Amino acid sequence: MLQHQAPPSLDPVFQALADPSRRSMLERLTLGPASVSQLAEPLPMTLAAVGQHIAVLEAAGLVKSQKVGRVRTCTLDTTVLTQAEKWINDLRVAVERQLDRLGVYLAETKPADEA
Amino acid sequence: MLQHQAPPSLDPVFQALADPSRRSMLERLTLGPASVSQLAEPLPMTLAAVGQHIAVLEAAGLVKSQKVGRVRTCTLDTTVLTQAEKWINDLRVAVERQLDRLGVYLAETKPADEA
DNA sequence: GAGATACTAAAGGAAATGCTTCAGCATCAA
DNA sequence: TTGATGCTGAAGCATTTCCTTTAGTATCTC
């Protein structure tokens, strides 16, 4: 059966992005794939905690990983990242349109007013 | 790159965006300013709960509000929204650059289609 | 095989989150 | 003034989050 994607929730994505440790892990992954230990190295917490953060990131769809031997290698997946970006962008654009309409309305209602 | 201002944390912004009720409130606010009651109207929760959500949105800087008489009117503020969007975009662009470099590396290392 | 390495699972605890109810306080309308 | 409206503060409660420690398992190195 074809895997048809149901619209993935933005909840776990924004939730995952809300943590500074997880964001720094994502930033690290922009340099290239990394193991759990490598992701843990700069962080002031145990390896177990980092493993749990990775689970959160994977559940959100932000990170993929595969284990080869005893090393789990993580990579970024930008799919849901793009969806989150689009949600924010849509919202921002909608606000700006609303403000434009307000501006037009004010200009038409109260024309040629000197400040 | 100028950094004209103390960096406001993205933590509370993404945290605020992680809740579907709060995201729906933000979407409502793209239509124009709204009172607490108006924001609460479509939501299956008490007015008090909505008030708490608004406090979260305001603490994150996503919403501004002012009280006139007994009515608090909320509006969207896109400043931090833009910053969150930029963080995501920067990350995504960095990943794509990384993947490009990887592609170049593979092309140079293992030239073309011969084994 | 012995020991080091790289995780991973489980349990637990402090704090945060997302609600509720109840009570109260201004404000507006009649 | 009486009463309805719009919100707000406080307390409480169930759940989730973020971390710890402990105790593993699987893998690599020697």
Side-chain angles (χ1 to χ4, degrees), chain A residues 2-108:
Chain A
L2 275 194
Q3 293 192 2
H4 203 284
Q5 284 190 346
S9 172
L10 288 179
D11 290 22
V13 179
F14 285 128
Q15 181 61 46
L17 294 179
D19 186 276
S21 300
R22 286 193 293 260
R23 284 202 309 280
S24 79
M25 291 164 113
L26 295 178
E27 287 169 350
R28 163 61 185 85
L29 287 176
T30 63
L31 304 177
S35 69
V36 178
S37 303
Q38 287 173 328
L39 289 174
E41 193 269 329
L43 295 176
M45 65 181 70
T46 63
L47 192 66
V50 171
Q52 289 164 13
H53 279 306
I54 291 174
V56 171
L57 291 168
E58 267 199 275
L62 288 161
V63 160
K64 308 287 177 193
S65 76
Q66 63 173 358
K67 198 160 183 176
V68 175
R70 57 189 167 164
V71 177
R72 175 171 304 279
T73 299
C74 303
T75 55
L76 262 165
D77 186 337
T78 56
T79 310
V80 295
L81 207 58
T82 304
Q83 288 164 357
E85 189 179 355
K86 172 168 162 38
W87 186 90
I88 296 180
N89 184 71
D90 287 353
L91 192 80
R92 195 172 49 74
V93 167
V95 180
E96 282 159 12
R97 261 204 297 268
Q98 174 220 327
L99 293 178
D100 280 352
R101 282 198 305 273
L102 179 62
V104 169
Y105 169 78
L106 290 179
E108 287 175 350

Side-chain angles (χ1 to χ4, degrees), chain B residues 63-105:
Chain B
V63 160
K64 307 286 176 192
S65 76
Q66 62 172 358
K67 198 160 183 177
V68 176
R70 56 186 169 167
V71 177
R72 174 171 305 278
T73 299
C74 303
T75 55
L76 263 167
D77 186 337
T78 56
T79 309
V80 294
L81 207 57
T82 303
Q83 288 163 356
E85 190 180 355
K86 172 168 163 37
W87 186 89
I88 296 180
N89 184 259
D90 287 353
L91 193 80
R92 195 172 49 73
V93 167
V95 180
E96 282 158 13
R97 260 203 298 267
Q98 175 221 329
L99 293 178
D100 280 353
R101 281 197 304 272
L102 180 63
V104 169
Y105 170 76

